[in-house]
Amino acid sequence: MGRIFKERTSVDQALKLFLERISALKKTEEISLETCAGRVLAEAVISERNVPHYRRAAMDGYAVRASDTMGASPTNPVMLQLSDRIEEGSTIWVHTGAAMPEGTDAVVVVEDTSTAGNLVEIRAQVYPNRNVGQIGEDIKKEDRVFEEGHFLRPCDVAVLASLGFDRVKVFEKPVIAVIPTGDELVSRKKSVGVPPQGMVLETNGLMSVLYVKKWGGIPQYLDIVPDNPDSIKKAIKSNLDADMIILSGGTSVGKRDHAPEVVASLGELLVHGIGVSPGKPAALGIINNIPVVCLPGYPVASLVALYFFVRPGLRKLATIPEIPELILKRRLAAKISSKIGYVNFIRVVFEGDRVRPLTGAKSGVLSSVAKADGYVLVPENIEGYEEGEEVDVFLIE
């Protein structure tokens, strides 16, 4: 086994190689509207009805025949008889959303009226269809409401409900096996008190599981696997029914780092060594057409690999459309230095309308991520940014 990285692949090239080998699952299921927010439609939605399906009042007020309000103004009001049916010179009170009474074609808003017994003083002229919602004004029958692949938000689910849907067909969530590796790891479930020196609680797998769930996958959190090639190989083979496998730890070039070598022995190792800091030891591979991501053991490097490779890989599996990230423009409160040849992931905190890079934020310091509000990506071809320079800030999820 080699003890140095033979080559370093750029982030963009590594992601391209990885995504080219991933195919969308396209497995579908029907689920209730109550559970479909955040899912992806597996078929187009065509309306089978008009919404609304009746002419309705768009405001509180009086339904009228528009012709009966000709010339009405505050100085020249028209008097109409309050009634329960419409004929010349009469009006009916309506609430917002109520069906328009037969024979009426407009609504005079209540602010433009006053009442005296059964008489209504109309102080504004209205025209036909004024303050009236028409049949199909929202959605017309046979309208193509959503396309296949649409990411459902709560407001979209409300639209489906207005069309009479109770269930909807969506793509199934991909199953992601998360396998923590490392002789130094202690399971939180089995730990009592502070671990012995040289041992640490397993947290990277937990972080991976939670991000997988947040990004639309179904995580399977496996037991810790020791730093042994045969054990890692067995764990992978036992989870080849998953849609993606995440190996956490064992990706560098030390004597106990076996993950990339095992992936290569079982399938194809696409990339090992990526131009990102932290996160260089990450590796990407394919086994039996199943994408495999090997996360570095340092927690911040692990997080970077999750962001850069697991998230886009999971989205492609799940047919989740590209969702633009929220990017804030902020000026730097201090200089940022970075390594040429690497995309640098710099954690920052907000200071008023500026951001400041965290000091002492090494890749093994997990709390630096929790303290950070966001991150700045410094391109591989520059040495950093000067104080006062405007940068793009990505929020940490």
Side-chain angles (χ1 to χ4, degrees):
M1 179 177 178
R3 295 301 171 203
I4 60 173
F5 293 106
K6 294 180 180 178
E7 60 183 30
R8 184 178 70 240
T9 307
S10 72
V11 171
D12 289 344
Q13 180 63 14
L15 182 58
K16 179 175 181 291
L17 289 170
F18 190 51
L19 293 182
E20 283 177 348
R21 300 296 297 275
I22 297 176
S23 299
L25 298 176
K26 298 293 185 179
K27 294 183 287 187
T28 66
E29 60 180 335
E30 274 200 0
I31 60 175
S32 69
L33 290 196
E34 287 77 10
T35 60
C36 73
R39 302 296 295 273
V40 179
L41 278 174
E43 61 184 5
V45 172
I46 309 297
S47 175
E48 296 181 354
R49 63 174 69 173
N50 291 309
V51 179
H53 59 282
Y54 60 93
R55 292 170 64 252
R56 61 187 180 184
M59 303 288 284
D60 288 346
Y62 291 91
V64 297
R65 298 190 315 175
S67 58
D68 287 342
T69 69
M70 290 293 292
S73 70
T75 58
N76 185 38
V78 170
M79 304 301 293
L80 298 180
Q81 180 74 36
L82 188 61
S83 177
D84 57 3
R85 62 188 181 88
I86 286 294
E87 53 189 22
E88 185 178 356
S90 65
T91 184
I92 297 176
W93 169 262
V94 287
H95 296 283
T96 302
M100 288 293 292
E102 187 175 351
T104 63
D105 59 6
V107 173
V108 180
V109 296
V110 67
E111 293 86 349
D112 290 332
T113 67
S114 64
T115 59
N118 288 330
L119 292 178
V120 179
E121 185 178 272
I122 305 296
R123 299 194 299 268
Q125 179 177 325
V126 291
Y127 298 93
N129 298 320
R130 180 70 173 172
N131 300 318
V132 176
Q134 301 300 317
I135 293 173
E137 180 182 61
D138 192 348
I139 300 169
K140 290 182 171 58
K141 186 177 181 180
E142 298 184 359
D143 272 357
R144 199 173 184 88
V145 182
F146 297 121
E147 297 290 346
E148 176 187 321
H150 183 79
F151 183 81
L152 290 170
R153 303 162 296 175
C155 56
D156 301 326
V157 179
V159 170
L160 293 172
S162 75
L163 294 171
F165 283 85
D166 183 53
R167 301 179 68 78
V168 66
K169 184 182 286 187
V170 298
F171 291 114
E172 289 187 9
K173 294 183 177 184
V175 176
I176 315 296
V178 178
I179 306 173
T181 71
D183 292 340
E184 77 284 5
L185 300 181
V186 177
S187 170
R188 294 176 301 107
K189 296 177 182 178
K190 300 176 182 178
S191 176
V192 179
V194 179
Q197 291 190 19
M199 305 294 287
V200 296
L201 291 172
E202 199 292 304
T203 57
N204 285 358
L206 173 64
M207 179 170 65
S208 299
V209 162
L210 296 176
Y211 274 119
V212 164
K213 187 174 182 179
K214 180 181 180 66
W215 292 332
I218 299 174
Q220 291 183 342
Y221 195 5
L222 284 303
D223 291 336
I224 296 168
V225 176
D227 287 317
N228 176 283
D230 291 335
S231 298
I232 297 171
K233 187 176 294 187
K234 182 179 178 181
I236 292 174
K237 286 182 174 180
S238 297
N239 288 279
L240 290 178
D241 57 343
D243 300 307
M244 178 189 285
I245 294 174
I246 296 174
L247 290 170
S248 177
T251 68
S252 193
V253 292
K255 293 182 179 180
R256 297 194 303 176
D257 295 314
H258 305 293
E261 182 182 64
V262 171
V263 172
S265 71
L266 293 174
E268 183 180 356
L269 185 63
L270 302 174
V271 172
H272 184 207
I274 299 173
V276 60
S277 179
K280 177 183 175 181
L284 308 170
I286 300 289
I287 300 173
N288 290 4
N289 294 318
I290 299 169
V292 181
V293 181
C294 302
L295 305 178
Y298 275 148
V300 183
S302 180
L303 174 67
V304 171
L306 283 167
Y307 269 40
F308 283 20
F309 304 108
V310 172
R311 179 168 57 175
L314 190 159
R315 284 178 174 171
K316 186 167 183 183
L317 284 170
T319 320
I320 297 174
E322 280 298 318
I323 301 171
E325 288 191 77
L326 176 62
I327 303 174
L328 305 177
K329 296 284 188 182
R330 292 291 187 274
R331 296 195 179 276
L332 286 170
K335 179 180 179 179
I336 287 178
S337 298
S338 63
K339 299 178 185 177
I340 287 285
Y342 292 83
V343 173
N344 284 256
F345 181 95
I346 308 297
R347 285 139 280 169
V348 297
V349 293
F350 290 119
E351 287 187 355
D353 60 352
R354 296 197 167 207
V355 291
R356 179 178 296 278
L358 283 170
T359 57
K362 298 179 180 179
S363 62
V365 182
L366 179 58
S367 63
S368 67
V369 177
K371 292 175 182 176
D373 298 307
Y375 62 93
V376 172
L377 295 178
V378 184
E380 58 188 8
N381 60 342
I382 66 173
E383 294 182 345
Y385 294 115
E386 297 297 325
E387 180 181 343
E389 196 167 346
E390 188 176 74
V391 294
D392 289 339
V393 181
F394 301 83
L395 299 182
I396 291 178
E397 294 187 54

